[in-house]
């Protein structure tokens, strides 16, 4: 794909996104009001994403895995769209995220870590006991190989976390190398 | 980056000298009255274009209305 095609796609994506969001609508008010509205929706998005994650964990505890997965995927979709929109404007949210203050990083890690642990624990509990932590939705007899499946799940999760960490380090080193090249 | 801070905003004084009410100035420059109030209080730093429109309406300059400290 040529750079002109790529720019054209980005421009169209931004135009569609702005139109869907109503950014150029009269209801956005003047520039100060537009800024406040944008901040308000950012705040709502952050809280909404956290709420979706918590809902996902609660659904998992009650054995509603379809809803749990839906909540987590929808939260992820919101973040993905934000990254795509910023990227179309030439802003890398991934690079900016690295500058997040340590306190904010800690809070985010706690929320997502607790949610992930709850969901993961609920899954293993249901695999071993055959019923969810609360209620009896989707209860079955535990499978004969539930223990080995649970161990497999734990190993898979650990491998996933390690892969994400390694990928992050590789990306960071690539960016540092690119920055050095830019300086030269 | 040079350490420059915004000084006291002088929109209110200039608006009164020019004989505008907040509502009239807001209408002239195409923003809400609340936005003019926020600018006069120093709560909101307008864009370059809005600052230029305000300065032109009040027959002043951006530097006079929004001085650096």
């Amino acid at each position: 794909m040529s750079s002109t095609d790529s720019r054209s796609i980005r421009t169209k994506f931004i135009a569609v996104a702005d139109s869907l969001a109503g950014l150029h609508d009269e209801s956005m008010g003047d520039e100060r009001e537009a800024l406040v509205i944008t901040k308000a929706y950012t705040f709502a998005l952050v809280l909404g994403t956290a709420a979706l994650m918590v809902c996902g964990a609660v659904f998992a505890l009650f054995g509603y895995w379809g809803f749990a997965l839906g909540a987590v995927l929808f939260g992820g979709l919101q973040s993905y769209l934000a990254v795509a929109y910023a990227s179309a404007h030439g802003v890398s949210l991934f690079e900016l995220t690295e500058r997040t203050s340590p306190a904010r990083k800690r809070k985010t890690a706690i929320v997502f870590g607790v949610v992930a642990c709850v969901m993961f624990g609920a899954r293993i509990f249901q695999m071993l006991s055959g019923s969810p932590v609360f209620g009896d939705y989707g209860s079955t007899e535990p499978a004969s190989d539930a223990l080995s499946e649970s161990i497999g799940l734990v190993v898979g999760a650990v491998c996933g976390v390690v892969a994400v960490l390694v990928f992050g380090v590789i990306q960071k080193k690539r960016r540092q190398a690119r920055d050095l090249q830019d300086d030269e | 980056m040079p350490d420059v801070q915004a000084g006291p905003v002088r929109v209110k004084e200039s608006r009164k000298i020019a004989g505008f009410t907040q509502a009239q100035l807001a209408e002239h420059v195409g923003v809400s009255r609340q936005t003019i109030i926020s600018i006069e209080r120093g709560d909101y730093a307008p864009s370059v274009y809005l600052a230029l429109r305000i300065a032109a309406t009040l027959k002043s300059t951006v530097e006079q209305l929004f001085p650096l400290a």
Side-chain angles (χ1 to χ4, degrees), chain B residues 9 34 36-44:
Chain B
V9 177
Q34 194 58 46
I36 297 297
I37 293 169
S38 291
I39 292 170
E40 288 184 352
R41 282 184 189 157
D43 292 340
Y44 174 65

Side-chain angles (χ1 to χ4, degrees), chain A residues 90-103:
Chain A
V91 174
S92 169
L93 288 191
F94 288 122
E95 285 183 27
L96 290 175
T97 304
E98 281 181 12
R99 298 187 205 165
T100 309
S101 68

Side-chain angles (χ1 to χ4, degrees), chain A residues 38-52 74-75 77-83 93:
Chain A
T38 311
K39 284 182 179 177
Y41 278 112
T42 305
F43 162 68
L45 178 71
V46 169
L47 274 198
T49 304
L52 275 172
F74 188 68
L77 176 70
Q78 287 179 316
S79 302
Y80 175 77
L81 288 174
V83 169
L93 288 191

Side-chain angles (χ1 to χ4, degrees), chain A residues 30-33 35, chain B residues 31-32 35 44 47:
Chain A
D30 61 39
E31 61 177 47
R32 185 189 66 90
E33 289 160 337
L35 181 66
Chain B
V31 297
S32 67
T35 294
Y44 174 65
S47 69

